[in-house]
Amino acid sequence: MSRPLVMLLQQAALAPNNMNMMARMMGTLAQSNASPLYQLRNSWNPLLLAPNQLQLRGFAGLAPPESAVQKGDQNRHVGEPGQDTNYNTGYVAPHPSMPITSIYTRSAADLNEAHVKAVYDLAYLETIKPSHVPPKDLADRVGLTAVRFSRWTFDKVTGYGPKMTEASWLTRIIFLETVAGVPGMVSGMLRHLHSLRLMRRDKGWIPCLLEEAENERMHLITFFEIRQPSVIFRSLVLLAQGIFFNFYFIAYLLWPKACHAFVGYLEEEAVRTYTHALRDIDEGKLWVGTPAPSIAQQYWGLKPEATMRDVILCVRADEACHSHVNHTLKAVKATDANPFSLGKAQLP
C-alpha cells in the first residue's frame, strides 16, 4: 500500500466526522482487482457463484444422490470420537430436521421458510406405529399425567372421535401444531441464555431444540395451505400460546426433565392422532386424492404426484422422532453432550 494512501487512511481515522471519506476510500480499494479486499469479497459472496450451485445447509428439496439407507446407515456417535457405529444397532436416533446437504435449486422464498428439512425413505414411513415409553420416575409420571389430562380436555372440547370431518381434522391439527412449536423454542432459548450467562458451551442441545420447533412450525404452515383459520380461531391461538409459553417457560426453568418427559409423551399422542387420520384416509373418509401442498413437496422432498396421505405419513414420522428425542434428552444429564447424530431422519 502506497505511503500517500496510508496517510489518507490515518487522517480519516483520526477525524470523528470524516467516516464518509473512509468509506469512499474502502470502496475504491474494493473496486481494484488487485486489492485484497476485492479478493476477500469474492471469497464469500454467494452471488458470484454459478447459478444453481449454492451449497446450503439442510435443504432437502433435491434428494441426496444416495439415501441414508443406501449408505449402510453408518454414522458417528457423539462421545465416541473416531468410531463408526451402525445406526441399526440401537444407537440414539438423530433429530428429524438435522442438516442434509444438497444443491439449492429452488426459489429464495423456499429457502427462507425453513432452515433444515427432513427426508424419509417412503418404505420406512409405513412402519411407524404408536408406541409408549413406560414412566420410570417422578418426572416421567408428572409429564405423562399432564399430557393425559390435556388430551382428555382437548378431546372433549373439540369432539374428537370416529366421525371426524376434514374441517374438524384441520381445526384440531392446526391448533395443536401452534402449541407443539412452543417447547423446542422455549427450551432452546433458555439454554441459549444459560450458555451466554455462564459463558460456556451448550454441547449441541440448542440447534437440536430449535430445529424441532421449526419442524413443528412447518407442519403448521403446510396445513395452512389447505385451510385459512378464522379471526376467532386465531384469537384463541393467541390466547393459548400466551398461556402455554409462559407456563412452559417457568416449568423449564424449574424442572427441565419433567418438561422433556411431557413433550415426549405429547408426541406419542400425536403419533396416535396421525395414525387415526391415516386410517380415515385409507377408508375414504378424508382427503381422498387430495394432492400434497407444494410447500410439503419441497420440505419433505416428496414427488409431484404426492398426496395428503404422504404428507400425514411424514408428519407422523416427525412426531415419532420428536418423542424419541425428548425421552432421550430427559434421560441424560443437562450438561452432557447432545447424543444425536447428524444427517439422518429415521428411528432405529
Side-chain angles (χ1 to χ4, degrees):
M1 189 178 293
S2 65
R3 182 176 179 81
L5 181 56
V6 171
M7 294 176 63
L8 284 173
L9 289 171
Q10 290 175 341
Q11 292 175 7
L14 293 174
N17 298 323
N18 210 13
M19 294 304 295
N20 288 336
M21 185 173 77
M22 175 72 82
R24 286 196 299 271
M25 285 188 292
M26 296 297 282
T28 302
L29 281 174
Q31 297 296 324
S32 171
N33 290 354
S35 167
L37 292 176
Y38 179 86
Q39 297 170 9
L40 178 63
R41 183 185 68 181
N42 281 1
S43 69
W44 64 263
N45 190 347
L47 297 179
L48 299 180
L49 299 176
N52 297 332
Q53 293 296 318
L54 298 184
Q55 293 286 346
L56 296 171
R57 177 177 181 266
F59 187 81
L62 178 64
E66 296 179 335
S67 69
V69 176
Q70 291 171 331
K71 291 181 179 178
D73 285 336
Q74 295 293 325
N75 213 330
R76 181 162 296 170
H77 188 262
V78 175
E80 300 180 53
Q83 179 182 355
D84 288 332
T85 59
N86 192 302
Y87 180 66
N88 288 324
T89 58
Y91 282 90
V92 177
H95 192 273
S97 57
M98 285 297 186
I100 299 175
T101 303
S102 62
I103 305 293
Y104 179 54
T105 59
R106 299 184 186 274
S107 68
D110 296 336
L111 171 68
N112 292 337
E113 196 54 59
H115 180 54
V116 287
K117 299 171 170 53
V119 174
Y120 292 105
D121 178 69
L122 295 180
Y124 161 80
L125 292 175
E126 299 286 353
T127 67
I128 298 294
K129 303 297 180 185
S131 62
H132 178 61
V133 175
K136 299 177 181 179
D137 53 24
L138 182 60
D140 282 339
R141 289 191 289 273
V142 169
L144 180 58
T145 301
V147 167
R148 284 178 173 172
F149 174 77
S150 300
R151 167 136 201 176
W152 180 85
T153 304
F154 192 70
D155 286 354
K156 294 297 183 183
V157 171
T158 60
Y160 177 78
K163 298 182 180 180
M164 300 276 284
T165 64
E166 288 189 11
S168 59
W169 268 112
L170 285 171
T171 298
R172 181 183 180 85
I173 290 172
I174 290 174
F175 190 90
L176 288 177
E177 294 295 353
T178 64
V179 174
V182 171
M185 180 60 65
V186 171
S187 52
M189 176 190 68
L190 287 174
R191 289 191 66 96
H192 173 78
L193 295 175
H194 184 265
S195 178
L196 295 177
R197 187 165 62 251
L198 298 184
M199 291 174 280
R200 69 171 60 154
R201 295 179 61 180
D202 179 69
K203 300 183 180 179
W205 286 51
I206 295 171
C208 179
L209 294 167
L210 295 183
E211 288 165 3
E212 177 184 304
E214 182 179 80
N215 180 253
E216 298 286 7
R217 185 181 64 87
M218 290 305 299
H219 295 174
L220 177 67
I221 291 175
T222 297
F223 290 106
F224 269 168
E225 295 292 313
I226 306 173
R227 180 184 181 184
Q228 291 292 325
S230 65
V231 174
I232 296 176
F233 184 91
R234 292 171 184 268
S235 301
L236 292 174
V237 167
L238 180 62
L239 177 63
Q241 188 180 85
I243 294 173
F244 184 66
F245 179 94
N246 287 284
F247 170 81
Y248 196 84
F249 180 91
I250 296 172
Y252 200 87
L253 284 174
L254 299 177
W255 203 358
K257 281 187 174 293
C259 290
H260 285 298
F262 171 82
V263 177
Y265 289 120
L266 182 68
E267 301 294 11
E268 287 182 3
E269 296 300 321
V271 173
R272 290 187 179 89
T273 298
Y274 285 114
T275 300
H276 179 187
L278 285 168
R279 186 166 60 249
D280 281 1
I281 292 174
D282 292 339
E283 293 175 357
K285 301 177 182 178
L286 186 67
W287 294 315
V288 178
T290 303
S294 59
I295 195 168
Q297 297 176 22
Q298 295 157 9
Y299 183 68
W300 284 288
L302 299 175
K303 295 179 179 179
E305 62 271 19
T307 64
M308 277 300 298
R309 187 180 190 280
D310 300 311
V311 173
I312 298 297
L313 282 171
C314 291
V315 173
R316 183 178 67 169
D318 287 347
E319 306 294 14
C321 212
H322 294 327
S323 177
H324 176 69
V325 166
N326 280 277
H327 281 310
T328 303
L329 294 181
K330 179 266 169 186
V332 302
K333 295 180 180 178
T335 55
D336 288 348
N338 172 23
F340 298 106
S341 305
L342 300 179
K344 294 183 186 296
Q346 300 178 180
L347 295 173

